[in-house]
Amino acid sequence: MPRGLVDAAGQTAWMALPIGALVPLLSLFMIERICRRVPGVNFIELNQRLLGKTAGFIMVMLFILYIIVFESIVIRTFADVTKIYMLPATPLWVILLLVAFSVYYVISKGSRVVARINELIFYILLITLIIALVPLPMGDYNNLLPLWEIDPAGLMKGVLYSAFAFEGLEILLVIYSLVDKKERIIKAGLTAIGITLGVYIYIIILGILVFGLDLIKLLLWPGIYYYKTVSFTAFPRLEFFLLAFWIGLGARPAFTMGFAASLSLSQLFNINDNRFHLVALAAVTAMFGLALIPGDIFAVFKIWDYVGLVALAVSLLYPAGLHLAAFIGGLDHEK
């Protein structure tokens, strides 16, 4: 559940999500179009062709730095969740080290393994979404009322939080060159945005039904508390399994974006595939070091707000800037 979304938009949080989804939608079309206009090049070559070698090098390095900082906050957040709900006696750095090692292992195996891991997690997610229906009889439909009473200021703030929830699509700039059937990218992107939107709306509505708006605002991680209400006779502590999966789901962006950072570094410095694992190790080590810096979970939340704004700017302004450079440079549209 996107942090702060319900608090900002109230019962109409589900209405903020479709508006927030317009951000990745616009980013998807801009990235696909600029990459199509410069076919047959990778991310590094795209930047250097449109911005020049020096400016292109700087922009790629800034993009890699952004990814590493972003993912350091991701793994720190889910390390904190693990410590709070599962391993309170375990030092935080140990949990972070285990998460970092898992991320390194996956991305060092290359794009095919990263893709398979994402596919596996998606199918497990479908199971957990079905399980989420179990506490529904405990819910009160009055918690959704008034259904159409909108606070414009709260709704706009909720739109901002919902836009944060779709962060990450900008790595299409990096992986576009790896896709064989590029004509399917828009369809796949629309499907991904649609599924993500549906899952968020589904979880938010269930959470409000079961907990009510006042209580859900007080919960640090409403989604985890929601699954703690699920129990079966044969599995009375099912939340531990679900929590373990949820942590894996939360670390999933680190697999994808960590691979994007490692691939960009290897292409930027012309490092061959035999040494890709060393590049991955360097990227993950940087993530691990940065993840240790915040003092507590509340400091992480403050950093999330700033990182979210940067991610929003990157997803929109970066591809827009590339389009502007293509226009100024007189790059013809693909016939």
Side-chain angles (χ1 to χ4, degrees):
M1 186 179 299
R3 192 183 66 82
L5 176 57
V6 175
D7 186 43
Q11 283 98 334
T12 56
W14 60 273
M15 296 177 60
L17 281 162
I19 303 175
L22 295 177
V23 172
L25 190 64
L26 178 59
S27 179
L28 169 66
F29 282 103
M30 286 196 295
I31 292 174
E32 192 275 340
R33 181 54 55 180
I34 193 61
C35 291
R36 177 183 291 188
R37 291 177 66 183
V38 192
V41 299
N42 60 33
F43 176 58
I44 312 304
E45 295 165 341
L46 174 69
N47 279 270
Q48 292 182 343
R49 178 169 176 180
L50 296 178
L51 305 175
K53 287 190 175 182
T54 301
F57 179 89
I58 293 173
M59 287 304 299
V60 170
M61 286 300 299
L62 289 175
F63 187 78
I64 294 171
L65 178 62
Y66 152 73
I67 292 178
I68 290 175
V69 172
F70 184 99
E71 291 314 307
S72 70
I73 299 302
V74 169
I75 64 174
R76 171 57 190 265
T77 299
F78 284 90
D80 279 323
V81 171
T82 305
K83 181 174 177 61
I84 293 171
Y85 292 100
M86 294 184 66
L87 303 171
T90 304
L92 182 65
W93 70 267
V94 174
I95 301 173
L96 274 172
L97 187 62
L98 292 174
V99 175
F101 176 78
S102 300
V103 172
Y104 163 71
Y105 179 80
V106 171
I107 66 179
S108 66
K109 298 300 180 180
S111 58
R112 189 175 298 274
V113 173
V114 173
R116 294 305 183 193
I117 289 291
N118 277 275
E119 185 177 8
L120 175 63
I121 292 177
F122 170 74
Y123 288 120
I124 300 177
L125 173 63
L126 295 181
I127 299 174
T128 64
L129 293 178
I130 295 173
I131 294 175
L133 293 172
V134 174
L136 192 57
M138 301 166 48
D140 183 356
Y141 290 93
N142 291 320
N143 290 336
L144 293 175
L145 302 177
L147 192 60
W148 299 105
E149 183 176 296
I150 299 175
D151 172 19
L155 181 62
M156 293 308 299
K157 188 176 180 181
V159 168
L160 182 62
Y161 278 114
S162 65
F164 291 172
F166 292 92
E167 293 162 356
L169 191 140
E170 58 273 12
I171 65 166
L172 178 59
L173 283 164
V174 179
I175 65 175
Y176 182 90
S177 62
L178 302 179
V179 179
D180 293 329
K181 299 179 179 179
K182 293 180 172 54
E183 68 278 4
R184 297 186 180 180
I185 287 179
I186 290 294
K187 181 180 179 181
L190 292 175
T191 301
I193 293 171
I195 291 174
T196 303
L197 175 62
V199 169
Y200 278 137
I201 292 177
Y202 176 79
I203 293 298
I204 286 175
I205 290 178
L206 289 182
I208 294 177
L209 282 172
V210 172
F211 293 128
L213 188 61
D214 293 334
L215 177 58
I216 206 171
K217 290 181 179 180
L218 302 176
L219 300 177
L220 188 61
W221 294 100
I224 293 176
Y225 278 102
Y226 182 86
Y227 277 105
K228 286 175 71 70
T229 65
V230 179
S231 64
F232 295 103
T233 303
F235 302 98
R237 302 305 302 271
L238 185 66
E239 74 271 13
F240 285 109
F241 164 75
L242 296 170
L243 180 57
F245 164 70
W246 193 250
I247 293 171
L249 181 67
R252 182 192 56 79
F255 300 146
T256 307
M257 298 189 77
F259 172 76
S262 302
L263 179 63
S264 299
L265 280 170
S266 63
Q267 291 176 344
L268 185 62
F269 295 103
N270 294 315
I271 299 173
N272 59 45
D273 293 342
N274 294 332
R275 296 185 177 180
F276 180 77
H277 66 284
L278 297 177
V279 179
L281 179 61
V284 173
T285 300
M287 292 179 192
F288 173 74
L290 290 172
L292 292 171
I293 295 177
D296 53 35
I297 187 64
F298 299 104
V300 173
F301 285 165
K302 290 181 180 179
I303 295 173
W304 258 125
D305 291 337
Y306 293 111
V307 171
L309 290 173
V310 172
L312 194 59
V314 169
S315 64
L316 293 178
L317 298 184
Y318 192 9
L322 292 176
H323 276 281
L324 179 61
F327 175 78
I328 294 174
L331 184 66
D332 290 332
H333 287 270
E334 184 182 358
K335 303 297 182 182

